[in-house]
Amino acid sequence: MIIGDGLFNFLSILVRTTYDMYLKRTKPAEAAAKPFAGVDINERQVLSFDDRRRTQVFLKDQIPTSIAAGAYVLLAAISVVAIPHIFRQLKPKHVVWAYVVAPVFAFCNAYGTGLTDWSLSSSYGKLAIFIFGASIGSQDGGVVAGLAACGLMMGIVSTASDLIQDFKTGYLTLTSPRSMFVSQVMGTGLGCIISPVVFWIFYKAYDIGLEEGYPAPYAKIYRGIALLGVNGWNQLPKYCLRFCLAFFLLAIAICALKEVAKTRGWWLQDYIPSALGMAVPFFLGSFFTIDMCVGSIVLYLWSKSDRVRAHMFAPAVASGLICGDGIWSLPSSILSLLNINPPMCLRVFSAETNYQVEEFLWTLRNPAAT
């Protein structure tokens, strides 16, 4: 569902961009740059002066497409030469294919991160493990090749979503996109130096992979996925690929229905669910769905009562809630290190299970009676 939703929007934007470029070449007067030309007249009135100013600054310092494409091709050429020398199991053709497919996955992940604030780069990395591991096979080092391809794919995909978030921050703070991009390049360059040093320190200070040292549980998980992948798709659960294909098509159908409803102005367009939003809880669990539901209801009621203020202050309210929730992790960690437990505990069980728990707790409080 994630790939289907992202791929549909990727192709939709690609078609619209191509058509817009065609208009600019054939009818430049009609295709003049109008940042809010596609915005509904009611929404255009809601846009504040700050929104208009932000859009003007953001569009003024765009990064030329030729530079972006040229830099990507240059990095791909360096990787095609360098990565096979580091990981012998990964051939140059595999790196080329990874760089060909990565932009589509990068767009899907950036699109999903923008909708849900959750980066699912690890899911695309796991998909790369299966694809490259199964194609290379266990006899030719498919495990190492799959893990290397996973790292390559996650590096590209996660960087795309991080850069989009930085661009949004720059948009909100009236910062030039070029400045944000240069800062990202500088940070990435420093990371190429700092990350290996940090890894070397951990490698020398701890026994990586051992429980008494530095267990690195995710390393074992990804290695297990790679071992599963090299044995081919037959190792997956029964009907796994059929389910995957069915929900991939379902996501495309939902996106197509939403696009048609938006184009024709159907009242149903606001009530068609997001395929990506439906898919994220399957990866992350359902623990945050109640929070998102409550927030959506509050925003909906706020928009109905005062649409202008809701549009202006909703990002500030959301930012405050996110920051508060994140900051609380620090005192929570300190309390956990000091072994300070909350004074009360809430549990919800059935009557039978609750009786068993009470009986067990009674035996702990009265060991002599047992």
Side-chain angles (χ1 to χ4, degrees), residues 73-96 99 148 152 192:
V73 172
L74 177 61
L75 290 176
I78 295 174
S79 299
V80 168
V81 176
I83 291 179
H85 284 282
I86 302 173
F87 303 100
R88 302 287 182 179
Q89 297 85 353
L90 206 60
K91 304 302 180 184
K93 63 178 182 180
H94 299 136
V95 181
V96 170
Y99 269 91
L152 177 63
C192 293

Side-chain angles (χ1 to χ4, degrees), residues 347-358:
R347 65 175 186 264
V348 180
F349 296 129
S350 63
E352 182 180 356
T353 305
N354 189 68
Y355 175 77
Q356 295 175 354
V357 172
E358 290 288 351

